[in-house]
Amino acid sequence: QVQLVESGGGLVQPGGSLRLSCAASGFTFGGTPMSWVRQAPGKGLEWVSEITARGSIQTTADSVKGRFTVSRDNAKSMLYLQMKSLKPDDTGLYHCAKGGRNTWAKEASWGQGTQVIVSS
């Protein structure tokens, strides 16, 4: 079955950086577009970024554009999110999800998440 396991979250000061990782298994990772989505405290899931199956195209939400970069290593079935210039508004539970921007919700397949807290 599909397994998505996120790691790399933590407590970071505003302006800091973090790199999130997601280990995928149970499906053809290299043939699947992937996304990062997040859930801020008390809010619903928000799409953050997507990357095509081969990694040739990355798209990010306006709220994180220029600060977050998604990448993948298909040989290792790994998805990454490099985050810099973090803001308190970036605080939330970050999940990797199967599917791109327009399909991840319908796929309904994401991991347990890794917590990111941006605070001084």
Side-chain angles (χ1 to χ4, degrees), residues 45 55 63 78 90 92-93 114-115:
L45 286 167
S63 58
M78 293 292 296
D90 295 318
L93 189 62
T114 185
Q115 186 72 48

Side-chain angles (χ1 to χ4, degrees), residues 11-39:
L11 173 64
V12 62
Q13 292 188 341
S17 299
L18 280 175
R19 188 194 194 208
L20 307 184
S21 300
C22 171
S25 62
F27 64 102
T28 306
F29 181 78
T32 305
M34 297 291 294
S35 289
W36 285 97
V37 300
R38 68 185 180 185
Q39 186 168 24

Side-chain angles (χ1 to χ4, degrees), residues 29-30 72-78 80:
F29 181 78
R72 64 192 298 161
D73 184 337
N74 285 348
K76 297 181 179 179
S77 295
M78 293 292 296
Y80 305 101

Side-chain angles (χ1 to χ4, degrees), residues 33-37 47 49-51 79 95-97 99-101 104:
M34 297 291 294
S35 289
W36 285 97
V37 300
W47 173 81
S49 186
E50 74 164 297
I51 186 167
L79 181 71
H95 308 266
C96 62
R101 178 177 191 174
W104 69 270

Side-chain angles (χ1 to χ4, degrees), residues 45-57:
L45 286 167
E46 173 194 19
W47 173 81
V48 173
S49 186
E50 74 164 297
I51 186 167
T52 52
R54 294 192 175 189
S56 57
I57 301 174

